[in-house]
Amino acid sequence: HYVANATFHQCRFISHVYSGAGMVPPVGVHLGGRDGAAGNARNVEFEQCAWRAAAQHGLAFRAIGFGTTGSYSNIRVRAPLWITLTAPHQVKYAPEPHPDSAVRIEEAGSVTLAAGPARPTLILRKLQSQAIPPNADTAIVFESALQGSGFADGKVAVAQSYWLEAWFAVDGLDAGDEVAVSFTVDDAVWRQGFFRAGGMARETFQLHCVAPLPQGARVGARVRIRAAGQRTVIGGPGVAGFSVVALS
């Protein structure tokens, strides 16, 4: 119910759609009172943070939500990244204006990632699980498009900077298994991240970057798992996906 003098730097807040449950969570960050209780938030800064919500089904989502009563001041958002927030159901922050505060959010350097005729967008979902052989580069297969604008056959429509992101869960991991996640351009490894399994049987991995892409390039994602045997990338709505969105 209360927060003061806090800084969030390069944090990422993600929500997915789950069958029977809707958007989980429905708010990226909730400040102050919950469930109608009074709250207080002051001197809170979000710097270079990103909010992403699965843009489908017209489900409500607030990137930053405030309690219904209380006192809120000096809430700043600097250089944020809003990913696939689709109006009118999904908003950056609410309620607006907050009845208890003259100072809401000072937003600087905002970049919005959303589908539109001038902003090529490709957001894919992985609906089926996929067996990954050990110690081999394997293309991750995506069976469904959540959003698509300007892309054909996974090819970049316009040469400019794009936000790329891949996220998925791997089942059957052992502690010490090594997971390499790659973005590919024209089937060649282009950007790569390396992770080590921490011991949980199922772990989620994410890789993201902002970089220029040439027109006509085909983009994709791969995984290599250094392990004693086969592992499984889990499929299902909201569980795994791949996005390539042009920066405005």
Side-chain angles (χ1 to χ4, degrees):
H1 297 298
Y2 175 85
V3 61
N5 305 321
T7 299
F8 299 84
H9 180 65
Q10 294 184 342
C11 295
R12 302 174 67 246
F13 308 96
I14 303 173
S15 292
H16 294 295
V17 175
Y18 289 92
S19 178
M23 190 74 75
V24 181
V27 181
V29 178
H30 190 108
L31 298 174
R34 297 183 65 88
D35 302 322
N40 182 288
R42 60 184 177 85
N43 302 330
V44 179
E45 183 168 320
F46 298 89
E47 182 178 355
Q48 299 178 21
C49 295
W51 287 259
R52 176 168 61 79
Q56 58 181 325
H57 307 309
L59 296 176
F61 173 79
R62 292 175 292 162
I64 303 175
F66 293 84
T68 54
T69 60
S71 177
Y72 304 86
S73 61
N74 296 327
I75 311 296
R76 293 186 174 89
V77 178
R78 300 186 183 276
L81 190 61
W82 316 104
I83 306 175
T84 64
L85 302 188
T86 56
H89 305 289
Q90 300 177 342
V91 297
K92 296 177 182 178
Y93 45 88
E96 181 185 8
H98 196 279
D100 301 312
S101 178
V103 179
R104 287 296 311 280
I105 288 183
E106 298 175 9
E107 186 178 312
S110 174
V111 175
T112 298
L113 304 186
R119 186 175 296 125
T121 301
L122 180 65
I123 303 177
L124 303 177
R125 293 184 296 182
K126 184 171 183 58
L127 300 179
Q128 300 178 15
S129 296
Q130 179 181 354
I132 306 297
N135 309 313
D137 284 329
T138 304
I140 302 176
V141 178
F142 299 94
E143 296 87 8
S144 175
L146 182 61
Q147 287 187 21
S149 174
F151 277 79
D153 298 325
K155 291 185 177 181
V156 173
V158 179
Q160 66 179 77
S161 291
Y162 287 78
W163 169 276
L164 293 91
E165 183 174 19
W167 64 97
F168 55 87
V170 179
D171 198 19
L173 290 169
D174 293 328
D177 284 356
E178 296 179 358
V179 179
V181 184
S182 305
F183 295 129
T184 61
V185 173
D186 293 331
D187 298 322
V189 172
W190 185 64
R191 295 288 190 275
Q192 194 168 48
F194 298 90
F195 310 90
R196 185 180 295 273
M200 295 184 294
R202 177 180 298 185
E203 296 186 41
T204 297
F205 301 92
Q206 297 175 340
L207 180 66
H208 61 89
C209 71
V210 175
L213 289 174
Q215 183 178 3
R218 179 182 287 106
V219 293
R222 289 184 188 174
V223 63
R224 171 187 283 264
I225 303 178
R226 181 171 296 177
Q230 176 180 289
R231 303 295 185 251
T232 302
V233 172
I234 304 302
V239 177
F242 176 63
S243 63
V244 187
V245 184
L247 294 172
S248 59

